Amino acid sequence: MYRLLIVTENQTVEDMFGAMTGWETMGFKPPRIRATCGDALECMRKHAIDAIAIDDSSIYDELRTHISEKCPTMLRFPIMDNAEDQWRIIRELDRMLGSLYADRSNDYYDLPGALVMTQEKLIKSIVCGLIPSEKEQATRLFMLRCMEKTNVPCILARLGMDADDPFLTSRWHYGSDRLEVALRNFFGNVQDGMRLHVAVISPEEVRVLCYPADETSVLMEKDVADYVKDTVEQIGNYLGLEMNILELRPIPGLSVFANA
């Protein structure tokens, strides 16, 4: 069962979690609640914590820094104002942890690699317009430890493919995941000051999200266009998959993909 840690000195929050029942049926042990950074760190040393929720209070800044630096794969979740919204978050957390710890039939389990895969699935869901609101986007990005934010300007490239292309017709029955992996290998994860996310939308369209690699990076449309064009040519040369750039445009942020 998954183990949760809630760090708060707010008695109302503690009472809310204490009144929530049925944790075991959701696949969780009843959460541990601690009030100080020291007690939280001691709990983490004694127990394998899968996800943590930390009160917004500045007294926990030291703990937040520790989590950022020492626990890069530990999921986070927000503390909500009521039990109904909190259960909604817990259900989403359950799905995320299920994806993170899914049995992929590997002899060696790579948790950081599994986290990256789960993060990519979330970015794809956002780019496909499957997340209903900007608030929901932000919550899920936070929970999965993504560096991406909803309101940071980035650049979107839409690439077209011929559904009858021999490369696709011979491989598409394996699903889009293999094609995404192959295309990510060509585009890379981080390149020239940008983070790249590849999402296969259909047998006819691929979207490439070009996001600033850090807060100091400013993406230039021409530089991104040149990189995408060069990568598309490499894909054609090595895979024999012909792709064309349908559109390349700046967008104000991931929030443009929200469908509500």
Side-chain angles (χ1 to χ4, degrees), residues 13-70:
V13 171
E14 185 171 347
D15 290 345
M16 179 184 71
F17 277 101
M20 295 169 64
T21 59
W23 291 97
E24 292 84 355
T25 61
M26 288 285 295
F28 293 90
K29 287 183 174 295
R32 292 175 169 85
I33 301 176
R34 299 293 185 269
T36 69
C37 290
D39 287 346
L41 291 171
E42 180 65 20
C43 180
M44 291 166 59
R45 279 191 287 268
K46 290 182 177 179
H47 307 283
I49 300 300
D50 297 298
I52 187 169
I54 305 175
D55 194 293
D56 290 337
S57 173
S58 61
I59 66 173
Y60 300 121
D61 286 348
E62 176 188 349
L63 179 60
R64 278 186 281 269
T65 299
H66 176 87
I67 297 297
S68 296
E69 295 177 355
K70 304 297 184 181

Side-chain angles (χ1 to χ4, degrees), residues 115-237:
L115 179 59
V116 170
M117 289 177 61
T118 306
Q119 290 170 336
E120 287 294 342
K121 287 182 179 179
L122 173 59
I123 298 295
K124 178 177 180 178
S125 294
I126 292 175
V127 171
C128 291
L130 301 179
I131 309 299
S133 68
E134 181 179 359
K135 181 180 179 181
E136 189 68 21
Q137 289 177 351
T139 298
R140 297 191 192 188
L141 290 166
F142 168 80
M143 292 173 69
L144 270 180
R145 307 291 296 269
C146 298
M147 67 149 286
E148 289 77 8
K149 304 292 188 293
T150 61
N151 59 353
V152 173
C154 42
I155 294 177
L156 176 69
R158 292 177 54 244
L159 310 178
M161 304 178 292
D162 182 356
D164 293 326
D165 186 289
F167 181 88
L168 292 177
T169 56
S170 64
R171 293 169 172 80
W172 190 259
H173 60 282
Y174 293 116
S176 63
D177 290 348
R178 289 192 178 188
L179 178 58
E180 280 184 351
V181 170
L183 296 180
R184 285 179 190 141
N185 288 337
F186 280 94
F187 279 99
N189 296 319
V190 180
Q191 183 73 34
D192 296 337
M194 59 183 169
R195 294 170 61 88
L196 296 116
H197 300 281
V198 177
V200 177
I201 306 300
S202 73
E204 297 179 340
E205 183 181 349
V206 172
R207 294 178 185 176
V208 181
L209 180 71
C210 306
Y211 187 97
D214 55 58
E215 295 180 357
T216 64
S217 299
V218 177
L219 301 185
M220 304 302 294
E221 189 172 351
K222 181 182 183 304
D223 294 339
V224 173
D226 289 342
Y227 180 74
V228 171
K229 181 174 179 290
D230 290 344
T231 305
V232 166
E233 290 180 357
Q234 292 179 32
I235 292 170
N237 291 335

